[in-house]
Amino acid sequence: MSETDEPRDSRWRHGVRLAVFAAFLLVLFYLVAVARVIDVEAVREMVASTGPAAPLVYVVVSALLGTALVPGPILAAGSGLLFGPLVGTFVTLGATVGTATSSAFLGRRAGRESARHLLGPERSERIDAQLERYGLWAVVGQRFVPGVPDALASYTFGAFGIPLWQMAVGAFIGSAPRAFVYTALGASIGDLSAPLAYSAIAVWCVMAVIGAFAAHRGYRSWRERDVTAPVSLEKAAPESP
């Protein structure tokens, strides 16, 4: 194989690897979120049977199910149903942090090398610099954006190389309001007219507005930095003699 063919063949292999990984996640998402092959109610009954250890057991089990792309709102509602709004919120937060770190770790192992290869060294270094400065707040901001599955976003963050500590801290900060919302709704599922349910819905509405505004501002800021960075580098380069 010639030297000119080798990079093209390498890029093709990395592209196929990322495509296979993305297809696997989509199939997994369909099975657990649409086809509902996992009986979450049976899982709750199993956890409830563990007695005093149930909150810790649910943190671990829920984190694993979240990594498998079981929708977070379902797991959080189950936490509220089992443990009430107070304890359930902390259980949901623990599971959320576990899901974020494990998903990011798997995304990093499966996709980071291929993503960097396809992006190229210059763009990869630029993204690494942005993640070092803003990665934590990118995770926080994503948690406020409605309609974005957290586990899928965590896999993507991992593939782009966000450090696991930023995933853990960002998921804890950004998921706190949402953890309360879904856990509280689960705890008040028998009476959605209760003040607790109204409070949860109000918090969700505020989160949605903040998330949409932050996503818009963040995207515009990122685009401006992405466009101006090459110009700045060109101006900073010394002139040839």
Side-chain angles (χ1 to χ4, degrees), residues 93 96-97 100 136 139-140 143 166-176:
L93 270 177
T96 299
V97 171
L136 173 63
V139 177
V140 174
R143 299 286 159 153
Q166 290 188 351
M167 286 300 309
V169 176
F172 182 85
I173 297 173
S175 298

Side-chain angles (χ1 to χ4, degrees), residues 28-224:
L28 186 62
F29 180 78
Y30 171 79
L31 291 175
V32 300
V34 180
R36 303 285 180 89
V37 296
I38 297 177
D39 190 346
V40 179
E41 185 176 352
V43 172
R44 287 200 301 264
E45 293 176 357
M46 181 272 293
V47 171
S49 67
T50 60
L56 293 178
V57 173
Y58 197 77
V59 167
V60 176
V61 172
S62 184
L64 294 175
L65 292 177
T67 304
L69 302 183
V70 174
I74 295 177
L75 298 172
S79 178
L81 193 61
L82 284 174
F83 310 114
L86 181 59
V87 175
T89 297
F90 286 101
V91 170
T92 298
L93 270 177
T96 299
V97 171
T99 294
T101 52
S102 58
S103 300
F105 174 78
L106 293 175
R108 189 184 186 94
R109 293 296 298 271
R112 176 164 167 76
E113 179 184 351
S114 295
R116 289 181 64 86
H117 188 91
L118 293 176
L119 289 170
E122 182 179 345
R123 182 168 292 181
S124 295
E125 289 176 4
R126 226 186 313 154
I127 290 177
D128 287 343
Q130 294 294 331
L131 292 179
E132 185 177 349
R133 294 182 61 187
Y134 306 108
L136 173 63
W137 300 113
V139 177
V140 174
Q142 177 270 314
R143 299 286 159 153
F144 277 80
V145 178
V148 179
D150 291 340
L152 283 177
S154 297
Y155 278 111
T156 304
F157 281 135
F160 278 99
I162 284 190
L164 295 184
W165 75 266
Q166 290 188 351
M167 286 300 309
V169 176
F172 182 85
I173 297 173
S175 298
R178 189 186 296 179
F180 164 75
V181 168
Y182 294 123
T183 305
L185 288 175
S188 57
I189 198 168
D191 183 12
L192 292 179
S193 63
L196 181 63
Y198 284 130
S199 300
I201 293 172
V203 171
W204 187 91
C205 292
V206 171
M207 282 181 57
V209 172
I210 294 175
F213 178 76
H216 177 68
R217 288 291 301 272
Y219 177 76
R220 286 186 57 186
S221 176
W222 178 81
R223 287 294 300 169
E224 289 171 0

